[in-house]
Amino acid sequence: MVGREAPFRPFKGREEVFRLLPPAAAPAVSLVSRRWLSLLRASTSSLTLRLAASSDAAAATLAALLSHYPFLSALTVASAATPARDADAVLLAVAAAPAAARFSTLRLLPDSAVSPTALLAACPALSGLTSLHLTAVRPLSFRWLELLPRLKSFALVNSAASVDYTGSSSDDADGAEAEAALALPLERLSLCGIRSGDRGLGWLWRRCGSLKWLQLRACDGTGDGPASPSFADCLVGLLALELRTCRAVADRVLLLAADHCHALTSLLVYDGGSSEALHRFIQQRAAGLHTLDLRLPLDLHNDHLLAIGAEPIQGGLDPTHNLAALRLQSCVLITGDGLRSLARTATGAGIEELALVSCDVVEREPGLLTFLSQSMRRLRRLDLSYNETLSDKVICAMLSSCRNLIDIKLRGCRGLTGASLVSLLRHCGQSLEILDISCCPSIAVGNVEFFAQRATRLNHMIIEESAVSEELKAIAQRKGMKIGSLLPCEGPF
């Protein structure tokens, strides 16, 4: 109609254009007009918010803001110095948002715990969630999970500063109904800070028969006392198990996993676990593993490497060798003999990814890497990060026998110079796709630019921002190559 402004109706094509804009463009777009601001909000599907530390009306402010985003599917809310009552209010404000039923991912990160009462009230409105991350729940209870019928992934940090609760949980009173309880749909579960005396975990373990991935971090128990009789119920179908800094409980979990995890394909153990428990696990389950990732400075020995390479016993059938990725960090007690023995086996020959991060055996025995590259003919990914005295001579000798690499990480190898890049270009320049040379100060900018220009398949170079020259940026733009640092330059710990 002439002379009148047509009512605003979001146009799907324009919404798609707005979704393609980089996040940094959002402030500029929102200033164009109210119509553009509305369109930007309507096209936003993922939002991260940080609430003011001392706001008395944080929940009300959050509710008002979320009312402008009707099509959100992923939301992260973080806040500091949040009183316990406000953490509940924030959760309820999220549940009251117009897009609550659309949420598939929610990360609620106040530094105080939410209560089970608030979760029971909020979950019906959030029934579409498939992924949930919470800082802490106190008193510890998991019954509200039954109200989230689509939840596949749940993470509980359990580390709120103000939390100090021990004792019984309402989940303890499960009684005979435990046998008839329906399983939760959870497939991925991460728990941090669980203590042996925490009650209510048994209710959760009995209902996690569908778990495929379990991570325990900084846990000194699995709840419900030292015995924790229900914990084994969640292990039968596991495909991946991670134990990070769980020394007090690692042995028990490894022994239970050896007996119950018949389908396990991936194991990660960092900073915890005795030699004996790990050896028994490897003897019983190593044949089925695809990935083994260990950071055990004082608990990994050559005997473990020999057990990894041992022929599996399969009732007269031809043995299978599934191990494709072996990652070792700071394992100071293994020797070159142990690694050579593994490399000579059929298991070692099948390894496609090898990480020897901050392992001084690499520096003690100069010919080791060459031997490994000659024996592991299927090797495609190699991580030698934080071996600070690793020399160009060792790298060049290794690369002459290692021509199929697609990914190599040399982060923190401070002794390397441009000579290593020249050798890498000569032997792997036609295959390499990912290169990490961050924190390698002896490699000159000119060498980096030359490598980026000549490596035909390189699509990602990881390097600290301060080392990225204008010429390197131009090369990356011409080749469509991603460049920059993924992680801060820090040590292996």
Side-chain angles (χ1 to χ4, degrees):
M1 292 180 293
V2 178
R4 295 181 59 186
E5 183 179 10
F8 172 59
R9 296 183 179 90
F11 175 58
K12 291 184 179 180
R14 281 184 292 178
E15 288 183 13
E16 280 300 317
V17 172
F18 274 69
R19 289 191 182 100
L20 294 174
L21 291 174
V29 171
S30 65
L31 294 174
V32 174
S33 68
R34 290 185 179 180
R35 178 173 293 188
W36 278 47
L37 176 59
S38 297
L39 185 57
L40 177 65
R41 288 171 169 172
S43 63
T44 300
S45 61
S46 179
L47 190 64
T48 298
L49 302 172
R50 181 173 294 277
L51 303 181
S54 58
S55 174
D56 294 330
T61 302
L62 177 63
L65 181 61
L66 292 178
S67 68
H68 296 293
Y69 291 88
F71 298 109
L72 283 180
S73 60
L75 175 65
T76 297
V77 180
S79 59
T82 309
R85 65 182 184 279
D86 287 353
D88 283 354
V90 167
L91 173 62
L92 295 174
V94 170
R102 293 176 174 269
F103 289 161
S104 60
T105 301
L106 175 61
R107 291 169 53 84
L108 193 61
L109 309 174
D111 64 355
S112 58
V114 295
S115 69
T117 301
L119 285 162
L120 287 168
C123 284
L126 300 168
S127 59
L129 284 179
T130 59
S131 177
L132 176 63
H133 184 121
L134 296 177
T135 300
V137 178
R138 280 296 187 265
L140 197 60
S141 173
F142 298 98
R143 286 183 180 268
W144 50 271
L145 286 170
E146 292 180 314
L147 302 177
L148 300 174
R150 300 179 183 177
L151 194 67
K152 300 293 185 182
S153 176
F154 175 50
L156 178 64
V157 178
N158 204 36
S159 61
S162 59
V163 168
D164 186 14
Y165 176 87
T166 56
S168 64
S169 163
S170 60
D171 296 352
D172 292 341
D174 207 18
E177 67 178 86
E179 294 299 325
L182 295 177
L184 295 171
L186 285 176
E187 296 180 359
R188 296 175 61 86
L189 178 63
S190 174
L191 298 176
C192 177
I194 299 298
R195 298 167 293 186
S196 177
D198 285 336
R199 301 297 177 183
L201 272 298
W203 185 95
L204 179 64
W205 300 135
R206 286 190 291 272
R207 288 161 175 79
C208 282
S210 299
L211 273 190
K212 304 300 181 186
W213 182 86
L214 174 64
Q215 180 190 75
L216 300 178
R217 295 189 294 128
C219 296
D220 65 15
T222 52
D224 297 319
S228 190
S230 301
F231 176 67
D233 294 350
C234 75
L235 299 177
V236 176
L238 275 189
L239 299 179
L241 173 63
E242 294 190 6
L243 303 175
R244 297 175 181 264
T245 321
C246 296
R247 183 167 292 277
V249 73
D251 280 8
R252 180 172 179 273
V253 174
L254 284 172
L255 294 175
L256 286 172
D259 293 335
H260 296 277
C261 292
H262 301 286
L264 199 70
T265 60
S266 177
L267 174 70
L268 179 149
V269 184
Y270 284 3
D271 307 324
S274 69
S275 298
E276 294 77 12
L278 181 61
H279 197 274
R280 178 177 161 188
F281 175 89
I282 290 173
Q283 285 183 316
Q284 292 185 228
R285 295 289 164 229
L289 290 181
H290 177 276
T291 302
L292 183 59
D293 191 338
L294 304 173
R295 187 174 72 191
L296 298 168
L298 300 177
D299 298 303
L300 188 72
H301 304 273
N302 286 345
D303 289 347
H304 298 103
L305 300 181
L306 295 176
I308 292 170
E311 294 288 347
I313 300 174
Q314 301 197 350
L317 300 177
D318 292 335
T320 59
H321 306 278
N322 295 319
L323 190 65
L326 177 63
R327 306 180 189 129
L328 306 179
Q329 296 186 45
S330 304
C331 299
V332 299
L333 297 182
I334 61 173
T335 69
D337 289 340
L339 287 169
R340 289 187 185 92
S341 296
L342 174 60
R344 292 187 184 101
T345 66
T347 298
I351 290 176
E352 299 175 13
E353 177 182 349
L354 178 65
L356 297 172
V357 177
S358 190
C359 290
D360 60 356
V361 64
V362 173
E363 302 166 18
R364 290 196 312 262
E365 302 192 29
L368 175 61
L369 289 179
T370 300
F371 181 88
L372 295 180
S373 65
Q374 292 172 344
S375 303
M376 299 177 176
R377 290 294 184 178
R378 298 180 64 182
L379 198 62
R380 304 272 282 167
R381 302 179 186 274
L382 182 62
D383 188 350
L384 300 173
S385 298
Y386 298 107
N387 292 294
E388 294 193 356
T389 62
L390 195 62
S391 68
D392 291 326
K393 181 179 179 181
V394 171
I395 290 292
C396 294
M398 174 200 71
L399 290 173
S400 64
S401 305
C402 196
R403 297 172 177 267
N404 298 314
L405 288 181
I406 63 171
D407 181 354
I408 185 167
K409 295 179 175 63
L410 302 169
R411 170 183 290 251
C413 295
R414 306 179 70 84
L416 299 184
T417 71
S420 290
L421 287 190
V422 172
S423 180
L424 184 61
L425 185 62
R426 179 184 303 118
H427 298 296
C428 304
Q430 304 300 312
S431 63
L432 198 70
E433 299 174 8
I434 302 172
L435 171 65
D436 185 347
I437 49 171
S438 51
C439 304
C440 296
S442 299
I443 298 180
V445 173
N447 295 122
V448 177
E449 294 169 351
F450 183 79
F451 186 90
Q453 181 67 53
R454 297 300 182 90
T456 56
R457 298 187 63 184
L458 189 67
N459 58 50
H460 193 176
M461 178 181 286
I462 303 167
I463 187 172
E464 56 267 41
E465 187 174 350
S466 60
V468 179
S469 66
E470 292 302 319
E471 176 63 21
L472 186 57
K473 291 179 182 178
I475 294 170
Q477 186 174 14
R478 287 198 301 270
K479 300 181 67 175
M481 183 175 68
K482 185 176 180 181
I483 193 165
S485 179
L486 289 182
L487 297 170
C489 287
E490 57 186 13
F493 296 99

